[in-house]
Amino acid sequence: MEDAEPKSPQRRRMSGRASVTIRDVARHAGVSVATVSRALRGSDLVHPSTRERVDAAIEELRFTPSQLGRSLAERRHAANGIVFPDLSGPFYAEVVLGYEEVAATLGRSVLILSTQNRESADEMVLDLAGRVDGLAVFGRTVHDDVVAEVVQRGVPVVLMARTEIQGADSVRTENVDAATSVVEHLLAHGHRRMAFLGDPSDSTDVAERWAGFRGALAQAGAEVPERTIRAGFKEDDGARVAAGLVADGLPDVVVCANDELALGLTVALAEQGIQVPGDVAVTGWDDVMAARYAGLTTVRQPMREMGARAARLLDARISGDRSEPRHDVLTTQLVVRRSCGPHPKEAHR
Amino acid sequence: MEDAEPKSPQRRRMSGRASVTIRDVARHAGVSVATVSRALRGSDLVHPSTRERVDAAIEELRFTPSQLGRSLAERRHAANGIVFPDLSGPFYAEVVLGYEEVAATLGRSVLILSTQNRESADEMVLDLAGRVDGLAVFGRTVHDDVVAEVVQRGVPVVLMARTEIQGADSVRTENVDAATSVVEHLLAHGHRRMAFLGDPSDSTDVAERWAGFRGALAQAGAEVPERTIRAGFKEDDGARVAAGLVADGLPDVVVCANDELALGLTVALAEQGIQVPGDVAVTGWDDVMAARYAGLTTVRQPMREMGARAARLLDARISGDRSEPRHDVLTTQLVVRRSCGPHPKEAHR
DNA sequence: CGCTCCTTTGGTACCGGTTACATAAACCGG
DNA sequence: CCGGTTTATGTAACCGGTACCAAAGGAGCG
């Protein structure tokens, strides 16, 4: 009746508390492990009285089923991954938030990985891929062939803000139309000489914004700059180019690839006595919180929605959806504030 | 010599690609699984020529060891969890970033969970605890007894910005001294009637700030308000109290529990024609990016360091550190900007 | 030349669950 | 009272690795 002879040589985990397993529960309740397992998953046919005994044993032993054992047997991780470059800045956090929210609702945990220029990023992504049922990858955090490898291993992948890859879904935000809106708005202000700050080779998004920018200028018959002013993504990068901009002669407006650049630039210009929008107009991209307080005209992107969308796409794939890859494009919105100059008629908040 | 008779009735996974296991590799290389396992982990004693054969087989079969199988056998997840309330706002992202960075360096993946008032938060945390080797918990995201339960199960826990719990490490930021600095600075400005915006019952941090605030005022012989102006944590909450503040007669300064409150309040006041700092001074807490652009005087907290610290503490515990729980307190720094009024001598950036 | 000792390798029992299949008990109408 | 279902439970084979223990084959040595 009791658990008598201790036969296994080494017993339990040496450090920490002994973890109680499903077999302990079974013995304690006087049933088989199969029955305990059934009782555990609720659904099945177990006699009420038996279930009661099992529940009592579980309670008494403070048993918690091991996620590992379960996942191994079920051959699913019940977890999704998300890879992004940096997370610093207010931008990525929103994406992760949207992603986590949906994933959690769907009963999946979320594993995050920030590659931040780590040289071992590729391996880390491959490792991560081995721990999840699906993976969302933001921007160009990792080489195409690594993504391909992950896909090839049968792990569903959804790309965010990145050029499409064979066999993977993707979610992006609209860039060309938005750039056109920005340019048109600036033209309406009377601005003509426009510069673009950002590095198109940095990301698909920037490349598209630059293309849209040029296109709109050409369309309007305005002067189209040869090249962008190269810069990274941070406030520092924006600040760094201020001096050169002044030396080369200020344009009417600087369209920046993101808000941080625009804000950094604005501050650096002010330190040289140059006022925005008085002496030069500036626009950004993303509509981060600071943009509101700095009065920066920018383009709002539905970041949270992007994360949520990615999580839902992944869920569908994991659930067996074998249809053609989808490529969603989310719409963006011009947000006009004072950094682009005084506006005669536009709404201003 | 070959793999001949297929005896197992159902073969492989039905959906998706067949996953190749260590036994496939063993058969292919003509060795035992033990040898493959050894070769895999590098370190062991395997004859170079054998290792070569195994590597070839691995390569050829495109074999990737299953993290699940490995974790189950090794009885470790090689993953840490982090639980926080919201992640929205620029604040938590920094914590997560610091945490992830250290955890990744230590070879641990990071699972995130945002509780955001989900009613099922408790279960979710318990579930998460079953998937990790250690857990960081931010603020009062979850009930004390749930944390206790996790600790009781033998999962190391480190609390962040939260009152201590028996058996768990904790990391906090300093609040009382900081509040004192804020008050002293404001007194030096000549401000006397000070109000405090925030809800001390919301978090330990706010409670301590409020206590420090009162203490410093009392110390200086200044008027000590009876109670705080209750509010949440968001810009909206700050905006909501503006009208009441005006109606009740403006104090000299409003010390806010965080930057978002301060910023929301400032904007709402401006809409009523009240200028900061001209008509009333305002200070915040956290030093988020927007605070810089809004010229908000605030207290900077080393959020990234807090995350990093938590990850390191957890690592030590997971590695078997059985010493007394540690309770680290990180120092904070007053950041003076223009929202507290014109400063005769102070440095200003 | 026989006997230790060491290096490599194989066999196999785990880790902690799930589940197909077999079996036993209970129910049911004829 | 009996064969046929239906329901409840047990047995054992997985899932995919790790690691202990034993065995095989040389090498070194008296």
Side-chain angles (χ1 to χ4, degrees):
Chain A
M1 249 156 239
E2 302 312 334
D3 36 336
E5 59 323 16
K7 54 174 65 156
S8 45
Q10 81 288 35
R11 216 141 166 66
R12 296 288 171 253
R13 192 172 353 192
M14 60 278 87
S15 76
R17 58 202 65 257
S19 59
V20 6
T21 79
I22 198 174
R23 302 182 214 257
D24 299 325
V25 175
R27 198 177 319 126
H28 201 79
V31 298
S32 72
V33 293
T35 301
V36 177
S37 179
R38 290 188 197 105
L40 230 41
R41 352 223 35 245
S43 49
D44 278 283
L45 330 289
V46 251
H47 194 86
S49 71
T50 310
R51 177 182 305 265
E52 212 167 294
R53 288 219 312 288
V54 173
D55 287 347
I58 289 176
E59 181 67 28
E60 193 166 342
L61 269 43
R62 322 207 83 237
F63 166 73
T64 323
S66 149
Q67 287 295 337
L68 280 178
R70 183 169 278 179
S71 290
L72 185 56
E74 289 179 341
R75 292 146 122 193
R76 60 180 235 121
H77 298 267
N80 285 4
I82 181 168
V83 183
F84 44 84
D86 196 336
L87 184 62
S88 86
F91 181 78
Y92 300 112
E94 283 290 310
V95 180
V96 175
L97 192 64
Y99 187 80
E100 196 274 346
E101 184 164 0
V102 172
T105 304
L106 295 169
R108 309 184 191 283
S109 298
V110 174
L111 282 140
I112 60 171
L113 173 63
S114 161
T115 56
Q116 34 196 6
N117 308 322
R118 281 194 264 250
E119 66 310 324
S120 54
D122 288 354
E123 303 173 41
M124 299 185 80
V125 170
L126 287 174
D127 176 88
L128 181 62
R131 306 171 151 270
V132 298
D133 300 319
L135 197 58
V137 177
F138 195 102
R140 36 173 269 310
T141 44
V142 66
H143 297 308
D144 278 12
D145 46 355
V146 173
V147 174
E149 166 75 17
V150 173
V151 170
Q152 210 272 338
R153 284 188 193 169
V155 178
V157 170
V158 44
L159 305 169
M160 307 165 83
R162 175 181 181 130
T163 40
E164 302 172 5
I165 286 184
Q166 177 70 23
D169 295 310
S170 71
V171 188
R172 302 182 306 113
T173 51
E174 204 294 316
N175 283 306
V176 175
D177 290 353
T180 306
S181 302
V182 170
V183 169
E184 284 174 355
H185 181 85
L186 293 170
L187 288 168
H189 270 289
H191 301 310
R192 285 295 173 272
R193 298 188 48 249
M194 306 193 189
F196 185 95
L197 177 60
D199 189 342
S201 68
D202 250 11
S203 82
T204 316
D205 278 337
V206 176
E208 291 184 355
R209 289 166 199 173
W210 166 235
F213 171 83
R214 301 192 62 176
L217 283 175
Q219 179 75 26
E223 181 185 347
V224 181
E226 283 290 319
R227 55 177 60 87
T228 70
I229 306 167
R230 291 295 170 94
F233 272 121
K234 305 289 196 173
E235 291 172 88
D236 282 351
D237 297 315
R240 231 186 310 280
V241 303
L245 208 55
V246 174
D248 296 352
L250 283 175
D252 295 339
V253 49
V254 182
V255 172
C256 304
N258 77 4
D259 285 350
E260 284 164 270
L261 283 174
L263 294 170
L265 172 64
T266 302
V267 169
L269 286 174
E271 282 169 5
Q272 307 209 11
I274 295 167
Q275 296 305 314
V276 172
D279 302 319
V280 57
V282 169
T283 70
W285 216 291
D286 292 349
D287 195 23
V288 303
M289 182 173 165
R292 252 186 4 261
Y293 291 95
L296 182 66
T297 292
T298 187
V299 176
R300 182 179 303 155
Q301 307 189 76
M303 300 316 293
R304 193 178 292 216
E305 171 61 18
M306 174 181 266
R309 190 74 66 104
R312 274 189 286 265
L313 282 174
L314 270 184
D315 182 62
R317 294 298 174 192
I318 294 167
S319 308
D321 181 352
R322 292 273 174 285
S323 60
E324 283 299 292
R326 290 184 51 177
H327 301 289
D328 291 2
V329 178
L330 305 179
T331 59
T332 52
Q333 183 190 352
L334 176 65
V335 179
V336 176
R337 299 204 181 91
R338 63 171 189 278
S339 75
C340 53
H343 346 73
K345 36 187 181 294
E346 273 93 10
H348 172 197
R349 61 150 285 166
Chain B
M1 250 153 239
E2 303 310 335
D3 37 334
E5 60 321 17
K7 52 173 68 155
S8 46
Q10 81 289 35
R11 232 165 141 58
R12 296 288 172 254
R13 196 181 339 202
M14 60 279 87
S15 75
R17 57 202 66 257
S19 60
V20 4
T21 78
I22 198 175
R23 296 173 222 264
D24 298 324
V25 175
R27 199 176 319 126
H28 201 80
V31 298
S32 73
V33 293
T35 301
V36 177
S37 179
R38 289 188 199 106
L40 230 40
R41 352 228 32 248
S43 49
D44 276 284
L45 330 289
V46 247
H47 195 86
S49 72
T50 311
R51 177 182 304 267
E52 212 167 295
R53 287 219 311 290
V54 172
D55 286 347
I58 289 176
E59 181 67 26
E60 193 165 342
L61 267 43
R62 321 207 83 237
F63 166 73
T64 322
S66 151
Q67 288 294 339
L68 280 177
R70 183 168 279 180
S71 291
L72 184 56
E74 290 180 340
R75 291 145 124 195
R76 60 182 236 120
H77 299 266
N80 285 3
I82 181 168
V83 183
F84 44 85
D86 195 336
L87 183 62
S88 86
F91 182 78
Y92 300 113
E94 283 289 312
V95 180
V96 175
L97 192 64
Y99 187 80
E100 196 274 345
E101 183 166 0
V102 172
T105 303
L106 296 170
R108 308 183 193 283
S109 298
V110 174
L111 282 141
I112 59 171
L113 173 63
S114 160
T115 57
Q116 35 196 5
N117 307 321
R118 282 195 262 252
E119 65 311 323
S120 55
D122 288 354
E123 303 173 41
M124 300 184 79
V125 171
L126 288 174
D127 177 88
L128 180 62
R131 306 170 150 271
V132 298
D133 300 319
L135 198 58
V137 177
F138 195 102
R140 36 173 268 311
T141 44
V142 66
H143 298 306
D144 279 11
D145 46 355
V146 173
V147 174
E149 166 75 17
V150 173
V151 170
Q152 210 272 338
R153 284 188 194 169
V155 178
V157 170
V158 45
L159 305 169
M160 307 165 83
R162 175 181 180 129
T163 41
E164 304 171 4
I165 287 184
Q166 177 69 23
D169 294 311
S170 70
V171 188
R172 302 181 305 113
T173 51
E174 203 294 315
N175 283 306
V176 175
D177 290 352
T180 305
S181 302
V182 170
V183 169
E184 285 174 354
H185 181 85
L186 293 170
L187 287 168
H189 271 288
H191 300 310
R192 285 295 171 274
R193 297 188 49 248
M194 306 193 191
F196 185 94
L197 178 59
D199 189 342
S201 68
D202 249 12
S203 81
T204 314
D205 278 337
V206 177
E208 292 184 354
R209 289 167 199 173
W210 166 234
F213 170 84
R214 300 192 61 175
L217 284 175
Q219 179 76 25
E223 180 187 348
V224 181
E226 283 290 317
R227 56 177 61 85
T228 71
I229 306 167
R230 291 294 170 95
F233 272 121
K234 305 289 195 171
E235 292 171 88
D236 282 352
D237 298 315
R240 231 187 310 281
V241 303
L245 208 55
V246 174
D248 295 353
L250 283 174
D252 295 338
V253 50
V254 182
V255 172
C256 303
N258 77 4
D259 286 349
E260 284 163 270
L261 283 174
L263 294 170
L265 172 64
T266 302
V267 169
L269 287 173
E271 281 169 6
Q272 306 209 13
I274 296 167
Q275 295 305 315
V276 171
D279 302 319
V280 58
V282 170
T283 69
W285 215 290
D286 292 348
D287 195 24
V288 303
M289 182 175 165
R292 239 171 33 246
Y293 290 95
L296 182 66
T297 292
T298 186
V299 176
R300 181 178 304 154
Q301 307 190 75
M303 299 316 294
R304 191 178 294 218
E305 170 62 17
M306 175 182 264
R309 190 74 66 104
R312 274 189 286 265
L313 281 174
L314 271 183
D315 181 63
R317 294 300 174 192
I318 294 167
S319 307
D321 181 353
R322 291 274 174 284
S323 59
E324 283 298 294
R326 289 183 52 177
H327 300 289
D328 291 2
V329 178
L330 305 179
T331 59
T332 52
Q333 183 190 353
L334 176 65
V335 179
V336 176
R337 300 205 180 90
R338 64 171 187 278
S339 75
C340 53
H343 347 70
K345 38 186 180 293
E346 272 91 11
H348 173 198
R349 62 150 282 164

